mmCIF file of all heavy atoms in Angstrom:
data_model
loop_
_atom_site.group_PDB
_atom_site.id
_atom_site.type_symbol
_atom_site.label_atom_id
_atom_site.label_comp_id
_atom_site.label_asym_id
_atom_site.label_seq_id
_atom_site.Cartn_x
_atom_site.Cartn_y
_atom_site.Cartn_z
ATOM 1 N N LEU K 1 -31.716 78.384 26.826
ATOM 2 C CA LEU K 1 -32.078 77.259 27.631
ATOM 3 C C LEU K 1 -31.455 77.206 29.043
ATOM 4 O O LEU K 1 -30.256 77.697 29.139
ATOM 5 C CB LEU K 1 -31.695 76.015 26.869
ATOM 6 C CG LEU K 1 -32.091 75.879 25.355
ATOM 7 C CD1 LEU K 1 -31.783 74.511 24.826
ATOM 8 C CD2 LEU K 1 -33.600 76.220 25.207
ATOM 9 N N SER K 2 -32.190 76.618 29.965
ATOM 10 C CA SER K 2 -31.667 76.409 31.304
ATOM 11 C C SER K 2 -31.769 74.880 31.451
ATOM 12 O O SER K 2 -32.890 74.403 31.807
ATOM 13 C CB SER K 2 -32.420 77.152 32.320
ATOM 14 O OG SER K 2 -32.014 76.821 33.639
ATOM 15 N N PHE K 3 -30.759 74.155 31.410
ATOM 16 C CA PHE K 3 -30.800 72.724 31.626
ATOM 17 C C PHE K 3 -30.604 72.469 33.155
ATOM 18 O O PHE K 3 -29.574 71.963 33.556
ATOM 19 C CB PHE K 3 -29.682 71.979 30.775
ATOM 20 C CG PHE K 3 -30.081 70.683 30.303
ATOM 21 C CD1 PHE K 3 -29.930 70.333 28.939
ATOM 22 C CD2 PHE K 3 -30.558 69.655 31.152
ATOM 23 C CE1 PHE K 3 -30.339 69.133 28.388
ATOM 24 C CE2 PHE K 3 -30.902 68.456 30.597
ATOM 25 C CZ PHE K 3 -30.873 68.221 29.289
ATOM 26 N N ASP K 4 -31.708 72.744 33.920
ATOM 27 C CA ASP K 4 -31.443 72.840 35.289
ATOM 28 C C ASP K 4 -31.711 71.605 36.196
ATOM 29 O O ASP K 4 -31.755 71.644 37.348
ATOM 30 C CB ASP K 4 -32.284 74.045 35.932
ATOM 31 C CG ASP K 4 -33.752 74.184 35.438
ATOM 32 O OD1 ASP K 4 -34.373 73.023 35.450
ATOM 33 O OD2 ASP K 4 -34.245 75.170 35.144
ATOM 34 N N GLU K 5 -31.819 70.389 35.483
ATOM 35 C CA GLU K 5 -31.628 69.129 36.162
ATOM 36 C C GLU K 5 -30.995 68.159 35.099
ATOM 37 O O GLU K 5 -31.659 67.989 34.011
ATOM 38 C CB GLU K 5 -32.965 68.620 36.643
ATOM 39 C CG GLU K 5 -33.490 69.189 37.854
ATOM 40 C CD GLU K 5 -34.719 68.516 38.510
ATOM 41 O OE1 GLU K 5 -34.710 67.267 38.429
ATOM 42 O OE2 GLU K 5 -35.595 69.148 39.012
ATOM 43 N N TRP K 6 -29.928 67.519 35.417
ATOM 44 C CA TRP K 6 -29.338 66.543 34.587
ATOM 45 C C TRP K 6 -28.390 65.718 35.407
ATOM 46 O O TRP K 6 -27.766 66.236 36.353
ATOM 47 C CB TRP K 6 -28.561 67.162 33.405
ATOM 48 C CG TRP K 6 -27.316 67.917 33.793
ATOM 49 C CD1 TRP K 6 -27.207 69.225 34.076
ATOM 50 C CD2 TRP K 6 -25.967 67.381 33.874
ATOM 51 N NE1 TRP K 6 -25.900 69.554 34.374
ATOM 52 C CE2 TRP K 6 -25.110 68.492 34.256
ATOM 53 C CE3 TRP K 6 -25.474 66.183 33.629
ATOM 54 C CZ2 TRP K 6 -23.798 68.343 34.427
ATOM 55 C CZ3 TRP K 6 -24.064 65.938 33.826
ATOM 56 C CH2 TRP K 6 -23.269 67.043 34.194
ATOM 57 N N ASN K 7 -28.319 64.470 35.155
ATOM 58 C CA ASN K 7 -27.408 63.552 35.796
ATOM 59 C C ASN K 7 -27.616 62.087 35.402
ATOM 60 O O ASN K 7 -28.595 61.878 34.538
ATOM 61 C CB ASN K 7 -27.439 63.675 37.371
ATOM 62 C CG ASN K 7 -26.196 63.243 38.059
ATOM 63 O OD1 ASN K 7 -25.250 62.623 37.428
ATOM 64 N ND2 ASN K 7 -26.067 63.652 39.319
ATOM 65 N N VAL K 8 -26.856 61.184 35.969
ATOM 66 C CA VAL K 8 -27.191 59.796 35.962
ATOM 67 C C VAL K 8 -27.947 59.592 37.248
ATOM 68 O O VAL K 8 -27.620 60.009 38.304
ATOM 69 C CB VAL K 8 -25.885 58.919 35.986
ATOM 70 C CG1 VAL K 8 -26.202 57.489 36.213
ATOM 71 C CG2 VAL K 8 -25.132 59.147 34.665
ATOM 72 N N TRP K 9 -29.112 58.780 37.116
ATOM 73 C CA TRP K 9 -29.893 58.421 38.371
ATOM 74 C C TRP K 9 -30.627 57.133 38.122
ATOM 75 O O TRP K 9 -31.446 57.016 37.277
ATOM 76 C CB TRP K 9 -30.886 59.537 38.535
ATOM 77 C CG TRP K 9 -31.931 59.350 39.596
ATOM 78 C CD1 TRP K 9 -31.883 58.450 40.562
ATOM 79 C CD2 TRP K 9 -33.148 60.116 39.777
ATOM 80 N NE1 TRP K 9 -32.998 58.625 41.424
ATOM 81 C CE2 TRP K 9 -33.725 59.613 40.888
ATOM 82 C CE3 TRP K 9 -33.764 61.247 39.131
ATOM 83 C CZ2 TRP K 9 -34.985 60.082 41.365
ATOM 84 C CZ3 TRP K 9 -34.933 61.692 39.543
ATOM 85 C CH2 TRP K 9 -35.558 61.198 40.730
ATOM 86 N N TYR K 10 -30.266 56.108 38.925
ATOM 87 C CA TYR K 10 -30.973 54.900 38.902
ATOM 88 C C TYR K 10 -30.602 53.908 40.027
ATOM 89 O O TYR K 10 -31.195 52.941 40.296
ATOM 90 C CB TYR K 10 -30.880 54.182 37.587
ATOM 91 C CG TYR K 10 -29.527 53.530 37.266
ATOM 92 C CD1 TYR K 10 -29.354 52.152 37.392
ATOM 93 C CD2 TYR K 10 -28.500 54.311 36.778
ATOM 94 C CE1 TYR K 10 -28.174 51.546 37.103
ATOM 95 C CE2 TYR K 10 -27.301 53.713 36.479
ATOM 96 C CZ TYR K 10 -27.108 52.349 36.616
ATOM 97 O OH TYR K 10 -25.887 51.710 36.300
ATOM 98 N N HIS K 11 -29.380 54.048 40.625
ATOM 99 C CA HIS K 11 -28.832 53.134 41.516
ATOM 100 C C HIS K 11 -29.639 52.861 42.755
ATOM 101 O O HIS K 11 -29.592 51.844 43.365
ATOM 102 C CB HIS K 11 -27.379 53.486 41.898
ATOM 103 C CG HIS K 11 -26.411 53.505 40.760
ATOM 104 N ND1 HIS K 11 -25.883 52.415 40.185
ATOM 105 C CD2 HIS K 11 -25.844 54.645 40.105
ATOM 106 C CE1 HIS K 11 -25.086 52.719 39.231
ATOM 107 N NE2 HIS K 11 -25.042 54.027 39.099
ATOM 108 N N SER K 12 -30.355 53.989 43.261
ATOM 109 C CA SER K 12 -30.909 53.857 44.604
ATOM 110 C C SER K 12 -32.520 54.121 44.576
ATOM 111 O O SER K 12 -33.016 54.527 45.590
ATOM 112 C CB SER K 12 -30.324 54.978 45.441
ATOM 113 O OG SER K 12 -30.542 56.262 44.912
ATOM 114 N N ASP K 13 -33.012 53.920 43.440
ATOM 115 C CA ASP K 13 -34.536 54.243 43.319
ATOM 116 C C ASP K 13 -35.385 53.678 44.337
ATOM 117 O O ASP K 13 -36.342 54.305 44.864
ATOM 118 C CB ASP K 13 -35.050 53.816 41.901
ATOM 119 C CG ASP K 13 -34.717 54.811 40.822
ATOM 120 O OD1 ASP K 13 -34.167 55.938 41.243
ATOM 121 O OD2 ASP K 13 -35.038 54.549 39.678
ATOM 122 N N ASN K 14 -35.129 52.450 44.712
ATOM 123 C CA ASN K 14 -36.104 51.676 45.597
ATOM 124 C C ASN K 14 -35.633 51.490 46.992
ATOM 125 O O ASN K 14 -36.081 50.636 47.748
ATOM 126 C CB ASN K 14 -36.366 50.347 44.869
ATOM 127 C CG ASN K 14 -37.015 50.460 43.598
ATOM 128 O OD1 ASN K 14 -37.961 51.251 43.400
ATOM 129 N ND2 ASN K 14 -36.564 49.638 42.641
ATOM 130 N N ALA K 15 -34.663 52.346 47.464
ATOM 131 C CA ALA K 15 -34.287 52.258 48.835
ATOM 132 C C ALA K 15 -35.388 52.475 49.832
ATOM 133 O O ALA K 15 -36.091 53.497 49.649
ATOM 134 C CB ALA K 15 -33.112 53.238 49.105
ATOM 135 N N PRO K 16 -35.588 51.641 50.773
ATOM 136 C CA PRO K 16 -36.749 51.803 51.721
ATOM 137 C C PRO K 16 -36.459 52.955 52.622
ATOM 138 O O PRO K 16 -35.348 53.312 52.949
ATOM 139 C CB PRO K 16 -36.780 50.455 52.468
ATOM 140 C CG PRO K 16 -35.389 49.983 52.433
ATOM 141 C CD PRO K 16 -34.817 50.472 51.107
ATOM 142 N N TYR K 17 -37.539 53.565 53.176
ATOM 143 C CA TYR K 17 -37.476 54.584 54.207
ATOM 144 C C TYR K 17 -38.783 54.679 54.940
ATOM 145 O O TYR K 17 -39.737 54.118 54.479
ATOM 146 C CB TYR K 17 -37.159 55.975 53.567
ATOM 147 C CG TYR K 17 -38.327 56.583 52.798
ATOM 148 C CD1 TYR K 17 -39.124 57.575 53.377
ATOM 149 C CD2 TYR K 17 -38.666 56.160 51.519
ATOM 150 C CE1 TYR K 17 -40.221 58.081 52.715
ATOM 151 C CE2 TYR K 17 -39.716 56.682 50.874
ATOM 152 C CZ TYR K 17 -40.531 57.645 51.418
ATOM 153 O OH TYR K 17 -41.558 58.195 50.817
ATOM 154 N N GLU K 18 -38.741 55.255 56.111
ATOM 155 C CA GLU K 18 -39.937 55.399 56.983
ATOM 156 C C GLU K 18 -40.712 56.638 56.546
ATOM 157 O O GLU K 18 -40.217 57.775 56.651
ATOM 158 C CB GLU K 18 -39.544 55.466 58.416
ATOM 159 C CG GLU K 18 -40.804 55.480 59.339
ATOM 160 C CD GLU K 18 -40.372 55.677 60.833
ATOM 161 O OE1 GLU K 18 -39.171 55.455 61.115
ATOM 162 O OE2 GLU K 18 -41.248 55.937 61.636
ATOM 163 N N ARG K 19 -41.957 56.424 56.106
ATOM 164 C CA ARG K 19 -42.737 57.575 55.677
ATOM 165 C C ARG K 19 -43.018 58.564 56.747
ATOM 166 O O ARG K 19 -43.283 58.183 57.909
ATOM 167 C CB ARG K 19 -44.102 57.050 55.108
ATOM 168 C CG ARG K 19 -45.013 58.073 54.341
ATOM 169 C CD ARG K 19 -45.994 57.434 53.524
ATOM 170 N NE ARG K 19 -46.929 58.369 52.856
ATOM 171 C CZ ARG K 19 -46.613 58.941 51.730
ATOM 172 N NH1 ARG K 19 -45.489 58.741 51.151
ATOM 173 N NH2 ARG K 19 -47.545 59.854 51.176
ATOM 174 N N TRP K 20 -42.936 59.824 56.537
ATOM 175 C CA TRP K 20 -43.051 61.046 57.327
ATOM 176 C C TRP K 20 -41.919 61.186 58.360
ATOM 177 O O TRP K 20 -42.062 61.951 59.345
ATOM 178 C CB TRP K 20 -44.437 61.000 58.126
ATOM 179 C CG TRP K 20 -45.669 60.767 57.183
ATOM 180 C CD1 TRP K 20 -46.657 59.929 57.390
ATOM 181 C CD2 TRP K 20 -45.941 61.479 55.999
ATOM 182 N NE1 TRP K 20 -47.576 59.995 56.423
ATOM 183 C CE2 TRP K 20 -47.186 61.035 55.515
ATOM 184 C CE3 TRP K 20 -45.368 62.562 55.274
ATOM 185 C CZ2 TRP K 20 -47.748 61.492 54.364
ATOM 186 C CZ3 TRP K 20 -45.982 63.035 54.215
ATOM 187 C CH2 TRP K 20 -47.191 62.538 53.774
ATOM 188 N N SER K 21 -40.887 60.503 58.078
ATOM 189 C CA SER K 21 -39.712 60.707 59.005
ATOM 190 C C SER K 21 -39.014 61.943 58.574
ATOM 191 O O SER K 21 -39.299 62.549 57.490
ATOM 192 C CB SER K 21 -38.766 59.478 58.904
ATOM 193 O OG SER K 21 -38.338 59.196 57.648
ATOM 194 N N TYR K 22 -37.977 62.387 59.328
ATOM 195 C CA TYR K 22 -37.199 63.603 59.021
ATOM 196 C C TYR K 22 -35.936 63.251 58.317
ATOM 197 O O TYR K 22 -35.127 62.507 58.730
ATOM 198 C CB TYR K 22 -36.861 64.250 60.343
ATOM 199 C CG TYR K 22 -37.991 64.796 61.039
ATOM 200 C CD1 TYR K 22 -38.705 64.101 62.050
ATOM 201 C CD2 TYR K 22 -38.467 66.167 60.909
ATOM 202 C CE1 TYR K 22 -39.759 64.651 62.712
ATOM 203 C CE2 TYR K 22 -39.523 66.723 61.630
ATOM 204 C CZ TYR K 22 -40.199 65.972 62.515
ATOM 205 O OH TYR K 22 -41.273 66.420 63.191
ATOM 206 N N SER K 23 -35.801 63.805 57.086
ATOM 207 C CA SER K 23 -34.643 63.686 56.245
ATOM 208 C C SER K 23 -34.048 62.290 56.206
ATOM 209 O O SER K 23 -32.883 62.053 56.519
ATOM 210 C CB SER K 23 -33.529 64.693 56.644
ATOM 211 O OG SER K 23 -33.149 64.574 58.015
ATOM 212 N N PRO K 24 -34.867 61.290 55.854
ATOM 213 C CA PRO K 24 -34.333 59.947 55.703
ATOM 214 C C PRO K 24 -33.391 59.822 54.498
ATOM 215 O O PRO K 24 -33.577 60.637 53.554
ATOM 216 C CB PRO K 24 -35.562 59.064 55.588
ATOM 217 C CG PRO K 24 -36.530 60.028 54.872
ATOM 218 C CD PRO K 24 -36.231 61.304 55.481
ATOM 219 N N PRO K 25 -32.471 58.968 54.459
ATOM 220 C CA PRO K 25 -31.671 58.766 53.237
ATOM 221 C C PRO K 25 -32.525 58.442 52.045
ATOM 222 O O PRO K 25 -33.316 57.479 52.064
ATOM 223 C CB PRO K 25 -30.709 57.613 53.545
ATOM 224 C CG PRO K 25 -30.677 57.520 55.057
ATOM 225 C CD PRO K 25 -32.085 57.993 55.514
ATOM 226 N N ARG K 26 -32.411 59.248 50.996
ATOM 227 C CA ARG K 26 -33.227 59.028 49.761
ATOM 228 C C ARG K 26 -32.299 59.346 48.588
ATOM 229 O O ARG K 26 -31.555 60.240 48.547
ATOM 230 C CB ARG K 26 -34.407 60.031 49.697
ATOM 231 C CG ARG K 26 -35.500 59.931 50.767
ATOM 232 C CD ARG K 26 -36.310 58.674 50.807
ATOM 233 N NE ARG K 26 -36.770 58.168 49.443
ATOM 234 C CZ ARG K 26 -37.815 58.678 48.823
ATOM 235 N NH1 ARG K 26 -38.676 59.589 49.428
ATOM 236 N NH2 ARG K 26 -38.125 58.185 47.642
ATOM 237 N N LEU K 27 -32.478 58.468 47.596
ATOM 238 C CA LEU K 27 -31.854 58.645 46.237
ATOM 239 C C LEU K 27 -30.279 58.767 46.410
ATOM 240 O O LEU K 27 -29.667 59.647 45.748
ATOM 241 C CB LEU K 27 -32.434 59.797 45.528
ATOM 242 C CG LEU K 27 -33.917 59.909 45.451
ATOM 243 C CD1 LEU K 27 -34.377 61.039 44.568
ATOM 244 C CD2 LEU K 27 -34.578 58.574 44.968
ATOM 245 N N GLU K 28 -29.680 57.965 47.318
ATOM 246 C CA GLU K 28 -28.305 58.158 47.533
ATOM 247 C C GLU K 28 -27.489 57.203 46.574
ATOM 248 O O GLU K 28 -26.909 56.224 46.996
ATOM 249 C CB GLU K 28 -27.970 57.844 49.008
ATOM 250 C CG GLU K 28 -28.629 58.895 49.893
ATOM 251 C CD GLU K 28 -28.081 58.950 51.285
ATOM 252 O OE1 GLU K 28 -27.325 57.983 51.652
ATOM 253 O OE2 GLU K 28 -28.419 59.897 52.062
ATOM 254 N N ASP K 29 -27.410 57.568 45.370
ATOM 255 C CA ASP K 29 -26.698 56.807 44.331
ATOM 256 C C ASP K 29 -25.201 56.830 44.696
ATOM 257 O O ASP K 29 -24.640 57.804 44.978
ATOM 258 C CB ASP K 29 -26.868 57.416 42.936
ATOM 259 C CG ASP K 29 -28.168 57.006 42.341
ATOM 260 O OD1 ASP K 29 -29.101 56.703 43.036
ATOM 261 O OD2 ASP K 29 -28.185 56.982 41.017
ATOM 262 N N ILE K 30 -24.622 55.604 44.629
ATOM 263 C CA ILE K 30 -23.085 55.489 44.647
ATOM 264 C C ILE K 30 -22.660 55.367 43.199
ATOM 265 O O ILE K 30 -22.993 54.279 42.555
ATOM 266 C CB ILE K 30 -22.658 54.343 45.560
ATOM 267 C CG1 ILE K 30 -23.146 54.561 47.024
ATOM 268 C CG2 ILE K 30 -21.197 54.280 45.551
ATOM 269 C CD1 ILE K 30 -22.703 55.885 47.692
ATOM 270 N N TYR K 31 -21.934 56.284 42.693
ATOM 271 C CA TYR K 31 -21.671 56.317 41.242
ATOM 272 C C TYR K 31 -20.390 55.500 40.906
ATOM 273 O O TYR K 31 -19.491 55.503 41.705
ATOM 274 C CB TYR K 31 -21.454 57.751 40.795
ATOM 275 C CG TYR K 31 -22.780 58.457 40.774
ATOM 276 C CD1 TYR K 31 -23.079 59.507 41.708
ATOM 277 C CD2 TYR K 31 -23.743 58.201 39.728
ATOM 278 C CE1 TYR K 31 -24.305 60.173 41.621
ATOM 279 C CE2 TYR K 31 -24.884 58.861 39.727
ATOM 280 C CZ TYR K 31 -25.202 59.828 40.711
ATOM 281 O OH TYR K 31 -26.416 60.514 40.598
ATOM 282 N N ASN K 32 -20.406 54.822 39.823
ATOM 283 C CA ASN K 32 -19.322 54.038 39.432
ATOM 284 C C ASN K 32 -18.528 54.740 38.342
ATOM 285 O O ASN K 32 -18.875 55.926 37.902
ATOM 286 C CB ASN K 32 -19.739 52.611 38.941
ATOM 287 C CG ASN K 32 -20.799 52.696 37.774
ATOM 288 O OD1 ASN K 32 -20.667 53.570 36.946
ATOM 289 N ND2 ASN K 32 -21.697 51.686 37.823
ATOM 290 N N PHE K 33 -17.547 54.051 37.833
ATOM 291 C CA PHE K 33 -16.629 54.710 36.773
ATOM 292 C C PHE K 33 -17.343 55.022 35.452
ATOM 293 O O PHE K 33 -17.102 56.089 34.948
ATOM 294 C CB PHE K 33 -15.406 53.861 36.585
ATOM 295 C CG PHE K 33 -14.375 54.495 35.575
ATOM 296 C CD1 PHE K 33 -13.848 55.682 35.888
ATOM 297 C CD2 PHE K 33 -14.082 53.829 34.478
ATOM 298 C CE1 PHE K 33 -12.875 56.310 35.112
ATOM 299 C CE2 PHE K 33 -13.124 54.343 33.593
ATOM 300 C CZ PHE K 33 -12.525 55.643 33.940
ATOM 301 N N GLU K 34 -18.174 54.175 35.011
ATOM 302 C CA GLU K 34 -18.869 54.424 33.735
ATOM 303 C C GLU K 34 -19.820 55.573 33.895
ATOM 304 O O GLU K 34 -20.000 56.316 32.918
ATOM 305 C CB GLU K 34 -19.589 53.211 33.175
ATOM 306 C CG GLU K 34 -20.837 52.811 33.945
ATOM 307 C CD GLU K 34 -21.604 51.604 33.276
ATOM 308 O OE1 GLU K 34 -21.062 51.060 32.315
ATOM 309 O OE2 GLU K 34 -22.702 51.324 33.716
ATOM 310 N N ASP K 35 -20.367 55.840 35.116
ATOM 311 C CA ASP K 35 -21.195 57.018 35.305
ATOM 312 C C ASP K 35 -20.350 58.282 35.104
ATOM 313 O O ASP K 35 -20.897 59.224 34.519
ATOM 314 C CB ASP K 35 -21.753 56.958 36.751
ATOM 315 C CG ASP K 35 -22.713 55.905 36.945
ATOM 316 O OD1 ASP K 35 -23.329 55.402 36.029
ATOM 317 O OD2 ASP K 35 -22.774 55.416 38.146
ATOM 318 N N ALA K 36 -19.120 58.227 35.615
ATOM 319 C CA ALA K 36 -18.251 59.440 35.396
ATOM 320 C C ALA K 36 -17.961 59.730 34.001
ATOM 321 O O ALA K 36 -17.975 60.867 33.575
ATOM 322 C CB ALA K 36 -16.969 59.289 36.186
ATOM 323 N N LEU K 37 -17.797 58.695 33.189
ATOM 324 C CA LEU K 37 -17.525 58.856 31.752
ATOM 325 C C LEU K 37 -18.816 59.519 30.995
ATOM 326 O O LEU K 37 -18.696 60.347 30.204
ATOM 327 C CB LEU K 37 -17.216 57.541 31.067
ATOM 328 C CG LEU K 37 -15.876 56.878 31.536
ATOM 329 C CD1 LEU K 37 -15.641 55.613 30.663
ATOM 330 C CD2 LEU K 37 -14.786 57.876 31.412
ATOM 331 N N LEU K 38 -19.989 59.035 31.414
ATOM 332 C CA LEU K 38 -21.216 59.608 30.797
ATOM 333 C C LEU K 38 -21.439 61.138 31.303
ATOM 334 O O LEU K 38 -21.796 62.008 30.537
ATOM 335 C CB LEU K 38 -22.503 58.817 31.200
ATOM 336 C CG LEU K 38 -23.676 59.404 30.493
ATOM 337 C CD1 LEU K 38 -23.532 59.374 28.917
ATOM 338 C CD2 LEU K 38 -24.994 58.525 30.811
ATOM 339 N N VAL K 39 -21.181 61.313 32.591
ATOM 340 C CA VAL K 39 -21.290 62.686 33.112
ATOM 341 C C VAL K 39 -20.317 63.612 32.309
ATOM 342 O O VAL K 39 -20.677 64.754 31.956
ATOM 343 C CB VAL K 39 -21.020 62.732 34.575
ATOM 344 C CG1 VAL K 39 -20.777 64.210 35.075
ATOM 345 C CG2 VAL K 39 -22.276 62.208 35.380
ATOM 346 N N GLY K 40 -19.137 63.190 32.133
ATOM 347 C CA GLY K 40 -18.071 63.905 31.388
ATOM 348 C C GLY K 40 -18.615 64.186 29.931
ATOM 349 O O GLY K 40 -18.591 65.285 29.450
ATOM 350 N N SER K 41 -19.227 63.129 29.317
ATOM 351 C CA SER K 41 -19.709 63.299 27.947
ATOM 352 C C SER K 41 -20.941 64.217 27.893
ATOM 353 O O SER K 41 -21.150 64.933 26.935
ATOM 354 C CB SER K 41 -20.148 61.915 27.467
ATOM 355 O OG SER K 41 -19.065 61.017 27.439
ATOM 356 N N MET K 42 -21.789 64.161 28.988
ATOM 357 C CA MET K 42 -22.876 65.139 28.971
ATOM 358 C C MET K 42 -22.445 66.501 29.160
ATOM 359 O O MET K 42 -23.036 67.459 28.458
ATOM 360 C CB MET K 42 -23.857 64.710 30.065
ATOM 361 C CG MET K 42 -24.529 63.450 29.965
ATOM 362 S SD MET K 42 -25.618 62.850 31.383
ATOM 363 C CE MET K 42 -27.019 64.003 31.118
ATOM 364 N N LEU K 43 -21.463 66.805 29.950
ATOM 365 C CA LEU K 43 -20.890 68.170 30.038
ATOM 366 C C LEU K 43 -20.386 68.609 28.721
ATOM 367 O O LEU K 43 -20.548 69.853 28.379
ATOM 368 C CB LEU K 43 -19.869 68.153 31.107
ATOM 369 C CG LEU K 43 -20.281 68.218 32.577
ATOM 370 C CD1 LEU K 43 -19.171 67.808 33.563
ATOM 371 C CD2 LEU K 43 -20.705 69.616 32.900
ATOM 372 N N ILE K 44 -19.659 67.719 28.007
ATOM 373 C CA ILE K 44 -19.174 68.089 26.681
ATOM 374 C C ILE K 44 -20.289 68.433 25.813
ATOM 375 O O ILE K 44 -20.264 69.469 24.991
ATOM 376 C CB ILE K 44 -18.363 66.889 26.134
ATOM 377 C CG1 ILE K 44 -16.976 66.797 26.837
ATOM 378 C CG2 ILE K 44 -18.074 67.123 24.605
ATOM 379 C CD1 ILE K 44 -16.228 65.579 26.445
ATOM 380 N N THR K 45 -21.384 67.703 25.827
ATOM 381 C CA THR K 45 -22.578 67.992 24.953
ATOM 382 C C THR K 45 -23.175 69.340 25.357
ATOM 383 O O THR K 45 -23.564 70.117 24.385
ATOM 384 C CB THR K 45 -23.515 66.852 25.162
ATOM 385 O OG1 THR K 45 -22.971 65.671 24.843
ATOM 386 C CG2 THR K 45 -24.768 67.087 24.256
ATOM 387 N N LEU K 46 -23.240 69.642 26.658
ATOM 388 C CA LEU K 46 -23.834 70.914 26.983
ATOM 389 C C LEU K 46 -22.964 72.037 26.460
ATOM 390 O O LEU K 46 -23.508 73.139 25.967
ATOM 391 C CB LEU K 46 -23.866 71.095 28.542
ATOM 392 C CG LEU K 46 -24.819 70.155 29.226
ATOM 393 C CD1 LEU K 46 -24.727 70.421 30.710
ATOM 394 C CD2 LEU K 46 -26.295 70.205 28.796
ATOM 395 N N LEU K 47 -21.658 71.972 26.497
ATOM 396 C CA LEU K 47 -20.737 72.958 25.992
ATOM 397 C C LEU K 47 -20.879 73.118 24.458
ATOM 398 O O LEU K 47 -20.656 74.160 23.956
ATOM 399 C CB LEU K 47 -19.316 72.646 26.317
ATOM 400 C CG LEU K 47 -18.912 72.960 27.725
ATOM 401 C CD1 LEU K 47 -17.388 72.775 28.009
ATOM 402 C CD2 LEU K 47 -19.204 74.381 28.176
#
């Protein structure tokens, strides 16, 4: 298996941006402490 996408993702889903602009800020989640605990737990699960 190649688990080639995994993470926490939901904080920034609806951030507005200008369509057809160059590299606008997209999906810029600011992660909190509970996210770090789940990411650690997910890594443990992968191992």
Side-chain angles (χ1 to χ4, degrees):
L1 309 187
S2 173
F3 215 126
D4 48 44
E5 285 190 35
W6 68 271
N7 204 345
V8 173
W9 173 15
Y10 74 101
H11 295 287
S12 61
D13 277 357
N14 299 315
Y17 72 101
E18 183 182 347
R19 192 164 176 80
W20 308 129
S21 58
Y22 292 87
S23 57
R26 298 294 314 276
L27 312 184
E28 297 195 348
D29 279 28
I30 300 299
Y31 289 108
N32 59 33
F33 183 59
E34 71 174 7
D35 296 330
L37 296 185
L38 183 61
V39 164
S41 298
M42 292 177 75
L43 281 161
I44 287 170
T45 305
L46 297 181
L47 284 185

